[in-house]
Coordinates of all heavy atoms in Angstrom, one line a residue:
M21 N 0.8 -1.1 0.0 CA 0.0 0.0 0.0 C 0.9 1.2 0.0 O 1.7 1.5 0.9 CB -0.9 0.0 1.2 CG -2.2 0.6 1.0 SD -3.5 0.3 2.3 CE -2.7 0.6 3.8
T22 N 0.8 2.0 -1.0 CA 1.5 3.3 -1.1 C 0.7 4.4 -0.7 O -0.5 4.4 -0.5 CB 2.0 3.5 -2.6 OG1 0.8 3.6 -3.4 CG2 2.8 2.3 -3.1
P23 N 1.4 5.6 -0.3 CA 0.6 6.7 0.2 C -0.5 7.2 -0.8 O -1.4 7.8 -0.4 CB 1.7 7.8 0.5 CG 2.9 7.0 0.6 CD 2.8 5.8 -0.2
G24 N -0.3 7.0 -2.0 CA -1.3 7.6 -3.0 C -2.3 6.6 -3.5 O -3.0 6.7 -4.4
T25 N -2.5 5.5 -2.7 CA -3.5 4.4 -3.0 C -4.9 5.0 -2.9 O -5.2 5.5 -1.9 CB -3.3 3.2 -2.2 OG1 -2.0 2.8 -2.3 CG2 -4.2 2.1 -2.6
A26 N -5.7 4.7 -3.9 CA -7.1 5.1 -3.9 C -8.0 3.9 -3.3 O -7.6 2.7 -3.6 CB -7.6 5.5 -5.3
F27 N -9.1 4.2 -2.6 CA -9.9 3.2 -2.1 C -11.3 3.4 -2.5 O -11.8 4.5 -2.8 CB -9.9 3.3 -0.5 CG -8.6 2.9 0.1 CD1 -7.6 3.8 0.4 CD2 -8.3 1.6 0.4 CE1 -6.4 3.5 0.9 CE2 -7.1 1.2 0.9 CZ -6.1 2.2 1.2
N28 N -12.0 2.3 -2.6 CA -13.4 2.3 -2.8 C -14.2 2.1 -1.5 O -13.7 1.2 -0.7 CB -13.8 1.2 -3.7 CG -13.4 1.4 -5.2 OD1 -13.3 2.6 -5.6 ND2 -13.2 0.3 -5.9
L29 N -15.2 2.8 -1.3 CA -15.9 2.7 0.0 C -17.1 1.8 -0.3 O -17.9 2.1 -1.2 CB -16.5 4.1 0.5 CG -17.3 4.1 1.7 CD1 -16.3 3.8 2.9 CD2 -17.9 5.5 1.9
R30 N -17.2 0.7 0.4 CA -18.3 -0.2 0.2 C -19.2 -0.5 1.4 O -18.5 -0.8 2.4 CB -17.7 -1.6 -0.4 CG -18.8 -2.6 -0.7 CD -18.1 -3.8 -1.2 NE -19.0 -4.9 -1.2 CZ -19.5 -5.5 -2.3 NH1 -19.2 -5.1 -3.5 NH2 -20.4 -6.5 -2.2
C31 N -20.4 -0.4 1.4 CA -21.3 -0.6 2.5 C -22.1 -1.9 2.3 O -22.8 -2.0 1.3 CB -22.2 0.6 2.7 SG -23.3 0.4 4.2
T32 N -22.0 -2.8 3.2 CA -22.6 -4.1 3.0 C -23.8 -4.3 4.0 O -24.3 -5.4 4.2 CB -21.6 -5.2 3.3 OG1 -21.1 -5.1 4.6 CG2 -20.4 -5.2 2.3
L33 N -24.3 -3.1 4.5 CA -25.4 -3.2 5.4 C -26.7 -3.5 4.7 O -27.0 -3.0 3.6 CB -25.6 -1.8 6.1 CG -26.6 -1.7 7.2 CD1 -26.1 -2.4 8.4 CD2 -26.8 -0.2 7.6
S34 N -27.5 -4.4 5.3 CA -28.7 -4.8 4.8 C -29.8 -4.7 5.9 O -29.5 -4.5 7.0 CB -28.8 -6.3 4.2 OG -28.6 -7.2 5.3
F35 N -31.0 -4.7 5.4 CA -32.1 -4.5 6.4 C -32.1 -5.6 7.5 O -32.5 -5.3 8.6 CB -33.5 -4.5 5.7 CG -34.6 -4.2 6.6 CD1 -34.8 -2.9 7.2 CD2 -35.6 -5.2 6.9 CE1 -35.9 -2.7 8.0 CE2 -36.6 -4.9 7.8 CZ -36.8 -3.6 8.3
G36 N -31.7 -6.8 7.1 CA -31.7 -7.9 8.1 C -30.7 -7.7 9.2 O -30.8 -8.1 10.3
D37 N -29.7 -6.7 9.0 CA -28.7 -6.5 10.0 C -29.3 -5.6 11.1 O -28.8 -5.6 12.3 CB -27.5 -5.8 9.4 CG -26.8 -6.7 8.4 OD1 -26.7 -7.9 8.6 OD2 -26.3 -6.2 7.4
I38 N -30.3 -4.7 10.8 CA -30.8 -3.9 11.8 C -32.3 -4.2 12.2 O -32.8 -3.6 13.1 CB -30.8 -2.4 11.4 CG1 -31.6 -2.2 10.0 CG2 -29.4 -1.9 11.2 CD1 -31.7 -0.8 9.6
Y39 N -32.8 -5.3 11.6 CA -34.2 -5.7 11.9 C -34.4 -5.9 13.4 O -35.4 -5.5 13.9 CB -34.5 -6.9 11.0 CG -35.9 -7.3 11.0 CD1 -36.9 -6.5 10.4 CD2 -36.4 -8.4 11.7 CE1 -38.2 -6.8 10.4 CE2 -37.7 -8.8 11.6 CZ -38.7 -8.0 11.0 OH -40.0 -8.3 11.0
G40 N -33.6 -6.6 14.0 CA -33.7 -7.0 15.5 C -33.7 -5.7 16.3 O -34.4 -5.6 17.3
Q41 N -32.8 -4.7 15.9 CA -32.8 -3.5 16.7 C -34.1 -2.7 16.6 O -34.5 -2.1 17.6 CB -31.6 -2.7 16.2 CG -30.2 -3.3 16.4 CD -29.1 -2.6 15.8 OE1 -29.4 -1.5 15.2 NE2 -27.9 -3.1 15.8
I42 N -34.6 -2.8 15.4 CA -35.9 -2.0 15.2 C -37.0 -2.7 16.0 O -37.8 -2.0 16.6 CB -36.3 -2.0 13.7 CG1 -35.3 -1.1 12.9 CG2 -37.7 -1.5 13.5 CD1 -35.4 -1.2 11.4
L43 N -37.0 -4.0 16.0 CA -38.1 -4.7 16.8 C -37.9 -4.5 18.3 O -38.9 -4.3 19.0 CB -38.0 -6.2 16.5 CG -38.5 -6.6 15.1 CD1 -38.4 -8.1 14.9 CD2 -40.0 -6.2 14.9
A44 N -36.6 -4.5 18.8 CA -36.4 -4.2 20.2 C -36.8 -2.8 20.6 O -37.5 -2.6 21.6 CB -34.9 -4.4 20.5
W45 N -36.5 -1.8 19.7 CA -37.0 -0.5 20.0 C -38.4 -0.3 20.0 O -39.1 0.5 20.8 CB -36.2 0.6 19.2 CG -36.2 1.9 19.9 CD1 -35.7 2.2 21.2 CD2 -36.8 3.1 19.4 NE1 -35.9 3.5 21.4 CE2 -36.6 4.2 20.4 CE3 -37.5 3.5 18.3 CZ2 -37.0 5.4 20.3 CZ3 -37.9 4.8 18.2 CH2 -37.7 5.7 19.1
M46 N -39.1 -1.0 19.1 CA -40.6 -0.9 19.0 C -41.2 -1.5 20.2 O -42.2 -1.0 20.8 CB -41.1 -1.6 17.7 CG -40.8 -0.8 16.4 SD -41.4 -1.6 14.9 CE -43.1 -1.8 15.3
A47 N -40.6 -2.6 20.8 CA -41.0 -3.2 22.0 C -40.9 -2.2 23.1 O -41.8 -2.1 24.0 CB -40.3 -4.4 22.3
V48 N -39.8 -1.5 23.1 CA -39.6 -0.4 24.2 C -40.7 0.7 24.1 O -41.3 1.1 25.1 CB -38.2 0.2 24.1 CG1 -38.1 1.4 25.0 CG2 -37.2 -0.8 24.5
I49 N -41.0 1.1 22.9 CA -42.0 2.1 22.7 C -43.4 1.6 23.1 O -44.1 2.3 23.9 CB -42.1 2.5 21.2 CG1 -40.8 3.3 20.9 CG2 -43.3 3.4 20.9 CD1 -40.7 3.6 19.4
F50 N -43.8 0.4 22.7 CA -45.1 -0.1 23.1 C -45.1 -0.4 24.6 O -46.2 -0.2 25.2 CB -45.4 -1.4 22.3 CG -45.7 -1.1 20.9 CD1 -45.1 -1.9 19.9 CD2 -46.5 -0.1 20.5 CE1 -45.4 -1.7 18.5 CE2 -46.9 0.1 19.2 CZ -46.3 -0.6 18.2
A51 N -44.1 -0.8 25.2 CA -44.1 -1.1 26.7 C -44.3 0.3 27.4 O -45.0 0.4 28.4 CB -42.8 -1.8 27.1
S52 N -43.6 1.3 27.0 CA -43.7 2.6 27.6 C -45.1 3.2 27.4 O -45.6 3.8 28.3 CB -42.6 3.6 27.1 OG -42.8 3.9 25.8
L53 N -45.7 3.0 26.2 CA -47.0 3.5 26.0 C -48.0 2.8 26.8 O -49.0 3.3 27.4 CB -47.4 3.5 24.5 CG -46.6 4.4 23.6 CD1 -47.0 4.2 22.2 CD2 -47.0 5.8 24.0
A54 N -47.8 1.5 26.9 CA -48.7 0.7 27.8 C -48.6 1.1 29.2 O -49.7 1.3 30.0 CB -48.4 -0.8 27.6
A55 N -47.4 1.4 29.7 CA -47.3 1.8 31.1 C -47.9 3.2 31.3 O -48.5 3.5 32.3 CB -45.7 1.9 31.4
G56 N -47.7 4.1 30.2 CA -48.3 5.4 30.3 C -49.8 5.3 30.4 O -50.5 6.1 31.1
L57 N -50.5 4.4 29.6 CA -51.9 4.3 29.6 C -52.4 3.7 30.9 O -53.4 4.1 31.4 CB -52.3 3.4 28.5 CG -52.3 4.1 27.1 CD1 -52.7 3.1 26.0 CD2 -53.3 5.3 27.0
A58 N -51.6 2.9 31.5 CA -52.0 2.2 32.8 C -51.9 3.3 33.9 O -52.7 3.3 34.8 CB -51.0 1.1 33.2
L59 N -50.9 4.2 33.8 CA -50.8 5.2 34.8 C -51.8 6.4 34.5 O -52.0 7.3 35.4 CB -49.3 5.8 34.9 CG -48.3 4.9 35.5 CD1 -46.9 5.5 35.2 CD2 -48.6 4.6 36.9
M60 N -52.2 6.5 33.4 CA -53.1 7.6 33.0 C -54.4 7.6 33.8 O -55.0 8.7 34.1 CB -53.5 7.6 31.5 CG -54.0 8.9 30.9 SD -52.9 10.2 31.0 CE -51.8 9.9 29.6
G61 N -54.8 6.5 34.3 CA -56.1 6.4 35.1 C -55.8 6.7 36.5 O -56.8 6.9 37.3
S62 N -54.6 7.0 36.9 CA -54.2 7.4 38.3 C -54.7 8.8 38.6 O -55.1 9.5 37.7 CB -52.8 7.1 38.6 OG -52.0 8.1 37.9
S63 N -54.5 9.2 39.8 CA -54.9 10.6 40.2 C -54.0 11.6 39.6 O -54.3 12.8 39.6 CB -54.9 10.7 41.7 OG -53.7 10.4 42.2
R64 N -52.8 11.2 39.1 CA -51.8 12.2 38.6 C -51.4 11.7 37.2 O -50.3 11.0 37.0 CB -50.6 12.3 39.5 CG -51.0 12.9 40.8 CD -49.8 13.3 41.6 NE -50.2 13.9 42.9 CZ -49.5 13.8 44.0 NH1 -48.4 13.1 44.0 NH2 -49.9 14.4 45.0
P65 N -52.0 12.1 36.2 CA -51.7 11.7 34.8 C -50.4 12.3 34.3 O -49.9 11.8 33.3 CB -52.9 12.0 34.0 CG -53.6 13.1 34.7 CD -53.3 12.8 36.1
L66 N -49.9 13.4 34.9 CA -48.7 14.0 34.5 C -47.5 13.0 34.7 O -46.6 13.0 33.9 CB -48.4 15.2 35.4 CG -47.2 16.0 35.0 CD1 -47.3 16.5 33.6 CD2 -47.0 17.2 36.0
F67 N -47.6 12.2 35.7 CA -46.6 11.1 35.9 C -46.5 10.2 34.7 O -45.4 9.7 34.4 CB -46.7 10.4 37.2 CG -46.5 11.1 38.5 CD1 -47.2 10.9 39.6 CD2 -45.5 12.1 38.5 CE1 -46.9 11.6 40.8 CE2 -45.2 12.8 39.6 CZ -45.9 12.6 40.8
A68 N -47.6 9.9 34.1 CA -47.7 9.0 33.0 C -46.9 9.6 31.8 O -46.1 9.0 31.1 CB -49.1 8.7 32.6
L69 N -47.2 10.9 31.6 CA -46.5 11.6 30.4 C -45.0 11.7 30.7 O -44.2 11.5 29.8 CB -47.2 12.9 30.2 CG -48.6 12.9 29.7 CD1 -49.2 14.3 29.7 CD2 -48.8 12.2 28.4
V70 N -44.7 12.0 31.9 CA -43.2 12.2 32.3 C -42.5 10.8 32.1 O -41.4 10.7 31.6 CB -43.1 12.7 33.7 CG1 -41.6 12.6 34.1 CG2 -43.5 14.2 33.6
G71 N -43.2 9.7 32.5 CA -42.6 8.4 32.4 C -42.4 8.0 31.0 O -41.3 7.4 30.7
V72 N -43.4 8.2 30.2 CA -43.2 7.8 28.7 C -42.2 8.6 28.1 O -41.3 8.1 27.4 CB -44.6 8.0 28.0 CG1 -44.3 7.9 26.5 CG2 -45.6 7.0 28.5
G73 N -42.1 9.9 28.4 CA -41.1 10.7 27.8 C -39.7 10.4 28.3 O -38.7 10.3 27.5
L74 N -39.6 10.0 29.6 CA -38.3 9.6 30.1 C -37.8 8.3 29.5 O -36.6 8.2 29.1 CB -38.4 9.5 31.7 CG -37.2 9.4 32.4 CD1 -36.3 10.7 32.3 CD2 -37.5 9.1 33.9
I75 N -38.7 7.4 29.4 CA -38.3 6.1 28.8 C -37.8 6.3 27.3 O -36.8 5.8 26.9 CB -39.4 5.1 28.8 CG1 -39.6 4.7 30.3 CG2 -39.2 3.9 28.0 CD1 -40.9 3.8 30.5
L76 N -38.6 7.1 26.6 CA -38.2 7.3 25.2 C -36.9 8.1 25.0 O -36.0 7.7 24.2 CB -39.3 8.0 24.5 CG -40.6 7.2 24.3 CD1 -41.6 8.0 23.5 CD2 -40.3 5.9 23.6
V77 N -36.7 9.2 25.8 CA -35.5 9.9 25.8 C -34.3 9.2 26.2 O -33.2 9.3 25.6 CB -35.7 11.3 26.6 CG1 -34.4 12.0 26.8 CG2 -36.6 12.2 25.9
L78 N -34.4 8.3 27.3 CA -33.3 7.6 27.7 C -32.9 6.4 26.8 O -31.8 6.0 26.7 CB -33.6 7.1 29.1 CG -33.5 8.1 30.2 CD1 -33.9 7.5 31.5 CD2 -32.2 8.8 30.3
S79 N -33.9 5.9 26.1 CA -33.6 4.7 25.2 C -33.1 5.2 23.8 O -32.4 4.4 23.1 CB -34.8 3.9 24.9 OG -35.8 4.6 24.2
L80 N -33.3 6.4 23.5 CA -32.9 6.9 22.1 C -31.4 6.9 21.9 O -30.9 6.5 20.8 CB -33.5 8.3 21.8 CG -33.2 8.9 20.4 CD1 -33.9 7.9 19.4 CD2 -33.8 10.3 20.4
P81 N -30.5 7.3 22.9 CA -29.1 7.2 22.7 C -28.6 5.8 22.5 O -27.7 5.6 21.7 CB -28.5 7.8 23.9 CG -29.6 8.7 24.5 CD -30.9 8.0 24.1
F82 N -29.2 4.9 23.2 CA -28.8 3.5 23.0 C -29.2 2.9 21.6 O -28.4 2.2 21.0 CB -29.4 2.6 24.0 CG -28.9 2.9 25.4 CD1 -29.7 3.6 26.3 CD2 -27.6 2.5 25.9 CE1 -29.3 4.0 27.6 CE2 -27.2 2.8 27.1 CZ -28.0 3.5 28.0
L83 N -30.4 3.4 21.1 CA -30.7 3.0 19.7 C -29.8 3.6 18.8 O -29.3 2.9 17.8 CB -32.1 3.5 19.5 CG -32.7 3.3 18.1 CD1 -33.0 1.8 17.9 CD2 -33.8 4.2 17.8
L84 N -29.5 4.8 18.9 CA -28.6 5.5 17.9 C -27.2 4.9 18.0 O -26.5 4.7 16.9 CB -28.5 7.0 18.2 CG -29.8 7.8 17.9 CD1 -29.6 9.2 18.3 CD2 -30.2 7.7 16.4
F85 N -26.7 4.6 19.2 CA -25.4 3.9 19.3 C -25.4 2.6 18.6 O -24.5 2.2 17.9 CB -25.0 3.7 20.8 CG -23.8 3.0 21.0 CD1 -22.5 3.6 20.8 CD2 -23.7 1.7 21.4 CE1 -21.3 3.0 21.0 CE2 -22.5 1.0 21.6 CZ -21.3 1.7 21.4
A86 N -26.5 1.8 18.7 CA -26.6 0.5 18.1 C -26.6 0.6 16.6 O -25.9 -0.1 15.9 CB -27.8 -0.3 18.6
F87 N -27.4 1.6 16.1 CA -27.4 1.8 14.6 C -26.1 2.2 14.1 O -25.6 1.7 13.1 CB -28.4 2.9 14.3 CG -29.9 2.3 14.2 CD1 -30.9 3.2 14.4 CD2 -30.2 1.0 14.0 CE1 -32.2 2.8 14.4 CE2 -31.5 0.5 13.9 CZ -32.5 1.4 14.2
V88 N -25.4 3.2 14.7 CA -24.1 3.7 14.2 C -23.1 2.6 14.2 O -22.3 2.5 13.2 CB -23.8 4.9 15.0 CG1 -22.4 5.4 14.6 CG2 -24.7 6.1 14.7
T89 N -23.0 1.9 15.3 CA -21.9 0.9 15.4 C -22.2 -0.3 14.4 O -21.3 -0.8 13.8 CB -21.8 0.3 16.8 OG1 -23.1 -0.2 17.3 CG2 -21.3 1.3 17.8
T90 N -23.5 -0.6 14.2 CA -23.8 -1.6 13.1 C -23.4 -1.1 11.8 O -22.8 -1.8 11.0 CB -25.3 -2.0 13.2 OG1 -25.6 -2.5 14.5 CG2 -25.6 -3.0 12.2
L91 N -23.7 0.2 11.5 CA -23.3 0.7 10.2 C -21.8 0.8 10.0 O -21.3 0.4 9.0 CB -23.9 2.1 10.1 CG -23.5 2.9 8.8 CD1 -24.1 2.2 7.6 CD2 -24.0 4.3 8.9
L92 N -21.1 1.2 11.0 CA -19.6 1.3 10.9 C -19.0 -0.1 10.7 O -18.0 -0.2 10.2 CB -19.1 2.0 12.1 CG -19.3 3.5 12.2 CD1 -18.8 4.1 13.5 CD2 -18.9 4.2 11.0
N93 N -19.6 -1.1 11.3 CA -19.1 -2.5 11.2 C -19.3 -3.0 9.8 O -18.7 -4.0 9.4 CB -19.7 -3.4 12.2 CG -19.2 -3.2 13.6 OD1 -18.1 -2.8 13.7 ND2 -20.0 -3.5 14.6
H94 N -20.2 -2.4 9.0 CA -20.4 -2.9 7.7 C -19.9 -2.0 6.6 O -20.2 -2.2 5.4 CB -21.9 -3.0 7.5 CG -22.5 -4.2 8.2 ND1 -22.6 -5.5 7.7 CD2 -23.1 -4.3 9.4 CE1 -23.1 -6.3 8.5 NE2 -23.5 -5.6 9.6
I95 N -19.0 -1.1 6.9 CA -18.3 -0.3 5.9 C -16.9 -0.9 5.7 O -16.2 -1.1 6.6 CB -18.2 1.2 6.4 CG1 -19.6 1.8 6.4 CG2 -17.2 2.0 5.5 CD1 -19.6 3.2 7.0
R96 N -16.6 -1.1 4.4 CA -15.4 -1.7 4.0 C -14.6 -0.7 3.1 O -15.2 -0.1 2.2 CB -15.6 -3.0 3.2 CG -16.3 -4.0 4.0 CD -15.5 -4.7 5.0 NE -16.2 -5.7 5.7 CZ -16.7 -5.6 6.9 NH1 -16.4 -4.6 7.5 NH2 -17.4 -6.6 7.4
L97 N -13.3 -0.5 3.3 CA -12.4 0.3 2.4 C -11.6 -0.8 1.6 O -10.9 -1.5 2.2 CB -11.5 1.2 3.2 CG -12.2 2.4 3.8 CD1 -11.1 3.1 4.6 CD2 -12.7 3.3 2.7
E98 N -11.8 -0.8 0.3 CA -11.1 -1.7 -0.6 C -10.2 -1.0 -1.5 O -10.7 0.0 -2.1 CB -12.1 -2.6 -1.4 CG -13.0 -3.4 -0.5 CD -14.2 -4.1 -1.2 OE1 -14.4 -3.7 -2.4 OE2 -14.8 -4.9 -0.7
P99 N -8.9 -1.4 -1.6 CA -8.1 -0.7 -2.6 C -8.6 -0.9 -4.1 O -9.1 -1.9 -4.4 CB -6.7 -1.4 -2.4 CG -6.9 -2.3 -1.3 CD -8.3 -2.5 -0.9
Q100 N -8.5 0.2 -4.8 CA -8.9 0.1 -6.2 C -7.9 -0.7 -7.0 O -6.7 -0.7 -6.7 CB -9.0 1.5 -6.8 CG -10.1 2.3 -6.3 CD -10.3 3.7 -7.1 OE1 -9.3 4.0 -7.8 NE2 -11.3 4.3 -6.9
Q101 N -8.4 -1.5 -7.9 CA -7.6 -2.3 -8.8 C -7.0 -1.4 -9.9 O -7.6 -0.6 -10.5 CB -8.4 -3.3 -9.6 CG -9.1 -4.3 -8.6 CD -8.1 -5.2 -7.9 OE1 -7.1 -5.5 -8.3 NE2 -8.5 -5.6 -6.7
E102 N -5.6 -1.5 -9.9 CA -4.9 -0.7 -11.0 C -5.1 -1.3 -12.3 O -4.9 -2.5 -12.5 CB -3.5 -0.6 -10.6 CG -3.2 0.2 -9.3 CD -1.8 0.4 -9.0 OE1 -1.0 0.3 -9.9 OE2 -1.5 0.5 -7.8
S103 N -5.4 -0.5 -13.3 CA -5.5 -1.1 -14.6 C -4.5 -0.6 -15.7 O -3.8 0.4 -15.4 CB -6.9 -0.9 -15.2 OG -7.3 0.5 -15.1

């Protein structure tokens, strides 16, 4: 590899690679909404809204971290073929 070598950027990410992550986060969303609806009948419905918001805000960084690391693991730099 010489200093002037050109590279091709290749992404091998497919939907199947992130499908499990999407399903897991949808489960978190539905669980938080179910908890919020269950708490909505209590005497303080503000707690329900705060709880749902807190769960979603705290889970979003983990979701983004999982997506970004999965994407970075599927990026390949391949040297160009000299012709």
